[in-house]
Amino acid sequence: MTVTIEDVARRAGVSTATVSRVIAGKPYVRDVLRIRVQDAIQALNYRPSRVARSLRVQRSSIIGLIISDIQNPFFTSVVRAVEDVAQQQGFSVMLCNSDECPEKEAAYIDLLLDEQVSGLIVSPAASDNEIYHRLAEAQVPVVVIDRRVESSPVDMVVADNTQAAFEVVSHLITNGYRRIGAVLGVPNASTGAERYEGYVRALTAHGIEVDPTRVRRGMPRSNFGHTLTLELLRLDNPPDAIFTGNNLLTIGALRAIDELGLRIPEDVALAAFDEMEWMFLVKPALTVVAQPTYAMGKKAAELLLQRIADPSRPPQEILLQPTIKVHESSGPK
Amino acid sequence: MTVTIEDVARRAGVSTATVSRVIAGKPYVRDVLRIRVQDAIQALNYRPSRVARSLRVQRSSIIGLIISDIQNPFFTSVVRAVEDVAQQQGFSVMLCNSDECPEKEAAYIDLLLDEQVSGLIVSPAASDNEIYHRLAEAQVPVVVIDRRVESSPVDMVVADNTQAAFEVVSHLITNGYRRIGAVLGVPNASTGAERYEGYVRALTAHGIEVDPTRVRRGMPRSNFGHTLTLELLRLDNPPDAIFTGNNLLTIGALRAIDELGLRIPEDVALAAFDEMEWMFLVKPALTVVAQPTYAMGKKAAELLLQRIADPSRPPQEILLQPTIKVHESSGPK
DNA sequence: CTGTTAGCGCCTTCAG
DNA sequence: CTGAAGGCGCTAACAG
């Protein structure tokens, strides 16, 4: 049924070893034979079995990509970038969605190891997962993206969240806002913690006290953004501006503000992390942090391929700078 | 290094065949042995090699998913759905992004065949691609999603685009709009053609003549939406409403409208295909078609698994109904 | 019920 | 420079 390397060898009048050499582009094959083999491959429409090769070399040319939420546009861009560079190097991508769930993440890591992947890119659901130790044992190259993990040094690609948060919140303050609330991701993701850190620094730098009741945390999903923002806006002394620390939280916040019939930025200003600039487009936010999403994915994939090629290379940590985009504002009412 | 089925067999004092049977959950194994094997598996932390199994059975437990644009939220939902049902059945998903490019699509199909995937879900970049014939030959189960293809009967999961387009455009007319423009995807994707069809039907049903200069087509990307909308709005007698036939085109249209300083719906109304309801959320659109994206992906995956289980089942075509969401409007200026 | 055996398709020494 | 041969880890007959 399927045409094998043996069929090609027979047709070309050589051994399978020679065919294998030609395919792998190895030297030490006479041009006559090389051409005869290539012709046979063409004629038979031969395609090597990646499965057989994987078994033989104990490694597939697949790289695993585990992200914590595929619905988040942030990761969408990352996926695309990873796919682009992988494909260009002859690797394919197996995509897994951990759904922010460490158990699911662990299960996927196991699965990918069972598939003998060449390497792994993970946006970790938690900052620590015992599975990472197994990973280290398995000697499979890994690069962590977006969020930091506390484990032995690994390649890491993250954004400078603290700085970005500092800047957007400062911008709100400069525009006259004082009662600034925050809707952030849970602190077990390092991103949430760092963005909180930037928020606090901005307030204190401007002599504003941090009011804990104005800070809310939840899973990075729009329904949480919605609930938490409602909570903030229903406080006795509600915030005059809100800083949302994540794409999806921002969506939820917009819905909440809309429901209460409030206008942006007259009634409440918004500063947001927003990868896509979609929100920015329709101008509901005063300031926006645009993540270098594609760049992060690209860098991660490149690092991974480097490490696959040379496992001895010392781990690197790459810190990318988000872009801040600003809308004009007349300040609070 | 890695622990094989032989190690387990040795430790359990049985043959590899028995271990294999236990793993596969086959009958005809005495409970004593079954338990001994399970213990050995536990003790050795044995994990079967999916690669070796794939080679042996000439089929991997991977299903391929080729989508035409991973940045489009529509597909993001589909990916998620497919992943959910696949994972639940012990399959993993290999994701490929054809980028609306038939050549890339063909290359990916080849790649996936080389990986011996059990099946394939494709949102085709073109309505016809010679590669589909190769697919038919290879006897690999396929289900086509979102867009129709002209080929031998295959399982297909699509939305009722004509009807949905008819309804949203009718809604515009009912609200008093008359000069309704359209920004649509290229007609080689069946979705674009169908949405155009619905647009035309709505106009004619209400006795409005179709003005070809008010209809623009382009690739389903935001920059095209932007350009085409600008063209429409700069006509001598510009439309008082625009129907956008795709998520990303809608984004571009919003940007264009914003750039010209126009308000929605006072200056120009908008009726849009929008999967995420994000646009809807911030109220720039009068009417929105929400695709049953997750449902489509789910259905596609289910069909595929069915066909994998029983290749003789006759192909089905499933037509899902989008949801129409309406905002109040006071009509045109 | 259980073990033996023969490959799946490929790569890679090891001899020539 | 080229060919012969031995597995990679697993499953599926086929015998017991």
Side-chain angles (χ1 to χ4, degrees):
Chain A
M1 186 60 230
T2 42
V3 20
T4 75
I5 199 172
E6 217 164 336
D7 301 324
V8 176
R10 195 161 26 238
R11 166 129 188 175
V14 299
S15 74
T16 60
T18 300
V19 178
S20 182
R21 289 189 187 105
V22 171
I23 293 173
K26 293 225 170 118
Y28 303 128
V29 178
R30 258 187 314 163
D31 283 350
V32 222
L33 292 194
R34 188 180 299 279
I35 290 173
R36 238 158 62 200
V37 168
Q38 281 160 344
D39 286 349
I41 289 178
Q42 281 262 298
L44 298 175
N45 205 315
Y46 166 71
R47 313 219 88 223
S49 156
R50 295 172 73 98
V51 175
R53 187 217 306 270
S54 296
L55 178 60
R56 179 57 233 245
V57 306
Q58 294 291 290
R59 152 165 306 192
S60 73
S61 45
I62 297 177
I63 75 183
L65 175 57
I66 303 182
I67 61 187
S68 49
D69 180 7
I70 201 192
Q71 311 251 37
N72 189 328
F74 171 83
F75 289 115
T76 264
S77 259
V78 169
V79 171
R80 205 221 145 103
V82 170
E83 224 247 352
D84 283 352
V85 351
Q87 198 252 344
Q88 186 202 341
Q89 303 278 342
F91 287 85
S92 26
V93 176
M94 206 137 117
L95 177 72
C96 309
N97 183 199
S98 74
D99 240 341
E100 304 283 0
C101 165
E103 290 75 32
K104 233 174 147 185
E105 177 180 305
Y108 273 128
I109 290 179
D110 275 335
L111 174 76
L112 292 169
L113 291 180
D114 296 346
E115 291 281 4
Q116 310 253 54
V117 294
S118 287
L120 221 46
I121 298 177
V122 188
S123 81
S127 60
D128 194 16
N129 194 328
E130 58 165 324
I131 187 82
Y132 298 145
H133 305 311
R134 302 238 285 94
L135 259 181
E137 279 173 36
Q139 305 262 19
V140 175
V142 177
V143 10
V144 163
I145 190 168
D146 186 45
R147 305 162 180 188
R148 296 164 193 278
V149 293
E150 313 155 346
S151 85
S152 43
V154 256
D155 283 308
M156 227 168 343
V157 179
V158 292
D160 193 345
N161 295 295
T162 311
Q163 177 61 23
F166 177 84
E167 285 184 34
V168 286
V169 174
S170 294
H171 181 254
L172 284 176
I173 298 171
T174 308
N175 274 267
Y177 298 94
R178 287 293 173 274
R179 305 192 309 282
I180 301 173
V183 174
L184 300 166
V186 283
N188 72 337
S190 67
T191 46
E194 290 168 18
R195 288 166 197 181
Y196 175 67
E197 169 77 14
Y199 163 82
V200 169
R201 277 200 210 160
L203 292 187
T204 47
H206 292 266
I208 303 177
E209 204 180 334
V210 176
D211 178 350
T213 64
R214 292 216 182 95
V215 179
R216 306 282 154 149
R217 294 175 168 289
M219 293 298 281
R221 294 215 212 86
S222 66
N223 55 334
F224 282 93
H226 177 241
T227 311
L228 299 175
T229 304
L230 280 183
E231 286 176 21
L232 285 183
L233 293 174
R234 283 172 176 156
L235 288 174
D236 284 342
N237 186 15
D240 56 7
I242 293 180
F243 165 55
T244 52
N246 165 293
N247 228 318
L248 265 17
L249 292 174
T250 305
I251 307 269
L254 282 171
R255 186 145 45 91
I257 293 171
D258 185 55
E259 272 177 29
L260 296 183
L262 301 175
R263 288 158 310 162
I264 302 172
E266 294 86 343
D267 300 318
V268 56
L270 196 61
F273 267 74
D274 169 20
E275 275 64 56
M276 303 306 286
E277 303 179 42
W278 290 357
M279 295 304 116
F280 188 71
L281 194 79
V282 288
K283 287 206 179 162
L286 195 60
T287 313
V288 156
V289 177
Q291 296 273 41
T293 53
Y294 189 89
M296 288 178 75
K298 181 152 185 262
K299 203 67 211 171
E302 286 167 355
L303 269 188
L304 184 66
L305 293 179
Q306 274 178 41
R307 175 160 296 281
I308 289 172
D310 172 17
S312 69
R313 199 178 47 62
Q316 269 182 270
E317 178 180 322
I318 295 191
L319 187 67
L320 296 176
Q321 291 302 329
T323 314
I324 311 288
K325 308 211 170 181
V326 173
H327 267 136
E328 301 304 323
S329 165
S330 49
K333 234 179 348 191
Chain B
M1 185 59 231
T2 42
V3 18
T4 76
I5 198 172
E6 217 164 336
D7 300 324
V8 176
R10 196 163 23 241
R11 166 127 187 176
V14 299
S15 75
T16 61
T18 300
V19 177
S20 182
R21 289 189 188 105
V22 171
I23 293 172
K26 295 227 170 115
Y28 303 127
V29 178
R30 257 187 314 163
D31 283 352
V32 223
L33 291 194
R34 189 179 299 280
I35 290 173
R36 235 157 67 199
V37 168
Q38 282 161 344
D39 286 351
I41 289 178
Q42 280 263 299
L44 298 175
N45 207 314
Y46 166 70
R47 312 220 88 222
S49 156
R50 296 173 72 100
V51 175
R53 186 215 306 265
S54 296
L55 178 60
R56 178 58 235 245
V57 305
Q58 293 293 289
R59 151 166 305 192
S60 73
S61 45
I62 298 177
I63 76 183
L65 175 57
I66 303 182
I67 61 187
S68 48
D69 180 5
I70 201 191
Q71 312 250 38
N72 189 326
F74 171 83
F75 289 115
T76 264
S77 259
V78 169
V79 171
R80 208 224 144 99
V82 170
E83 224 248 351
D84 282 353
V85 351
Q87 198 253 345
Q88 186 202 339
Q89 304 278 342
F91 287 86
S92 26
V93 176
M94 207 136 114
L95 177 72
C96 309
N97 183 199
S98 74
D99 240 341
E100 303 283 359
C101 165
E103 290 74 33
K104 234 176 147 185
E105 178 181 304
Y108 273 128
I109 289 179
D110 275 335
L111 175 76
L112 291 169
L113 291 179
D114 296 347
E115 291 281 5
Q116 310 253 55
V117 293
S118 287
L120 221 45
I121 298 176
V122 188
S123 80
S127 60
D128 194 16
N129 194 327
E130 56 165 325
I131 187 83
Y132 299 146
H133 305 310
R134 302 239 285 94
L135 258 181
E137 279 172 37
Q139 306 262 18
V140 175
V142 177
V143 10
V144 163
I145 190 168
D146 186 43
R147 304 162 179 187
R148 296 164 193 278
V149 292
E150 312 155 347
S151 87
S152 43
V154 257
D155 284 307
M156 228 170 338
V157 179
V158 293
D160 192 344
N161 295 296
T162 312
Q163 177 62 21
F166 177 84
E167 286 184 33
V168 287
V169 174
S170 294
H171 180 254
L172 284 176
I173 298 172
T174 308
N175 274 267
Y177 297 94
R178 286 294 174 275
R179 306 192 308 282
I180 302 173
V183 174
L184 301 166
V186 283
N188 72 338
S190 67
T191 45
E194 291 170 16
R195 288 165 198 181
Y196 175 66
E197 170 76 13
Y199 164 81
V200 170
R201 277 199 212 163
L203 292 187
T204 48
H206 292 265
I208 303 176
E209 204 180 333
V210 177
D211 178 350
T213 63
R214 293 216 181 96
V215 179
R216 307 280 153 150
R217 293 173 167 292
M219 293 298 282
R221 295 217 211 83
S222 65
N223 55 334
F224 283 92
H226 178 240
T227 311
L228 299 175
T229 304
L230 281 182
E231 286 177 22
L232 285 182
L233 294 174
R234 283 171 177 157
L235 289 175
D236 284 342
N237 185 15
D240 54 8
I242 292 179
F243 165 55
T244 51
N246 165 292
N247 227 320
L248 264 18
L249 292 174
T250 304
I251 307 269
L254 282 171
R255 187 146 45 92
I257 292 170
D258 184 56
E259 272 177 30
L260 296 184
L262 301 175
R263 288 157 310 159
I264 302 173
E266 293 87 343
D267 300 318
V268 56
L270 197 61
F273 267 75
D274 169 20
E275 274 64 56
M276 300 310 284
E277 305 178 41
W278 290 357
M279 295 304 115
F280 190 71
L281 194 81
V282 287
K283 288 206 182 164
L286 194 60
T287 314
V288 157
V289 177
Q291 296 273 42
T293 52
Y294 189 88
M296 288 177 75
K298 181 153 184 260
K299 202 67 210 170
E302 287 168 354
L303 269 187
L304 184 65
L305 293 178
Q306 274 177 39
R307 175 161 295 284
I308 289 172
D310 171 17
S312 69
R313 199 178 47 62
Q316 268 181 270
E317 179 180 321
I318 295 191
L319 187 67
L320 295 176
Q321 291 302 330
T323 313
I324 312 288
K325 308 212 172 180
V326 173
H327 266 135
E328 301 304 322
S329 165
S330 49
K333 229 177 358 189

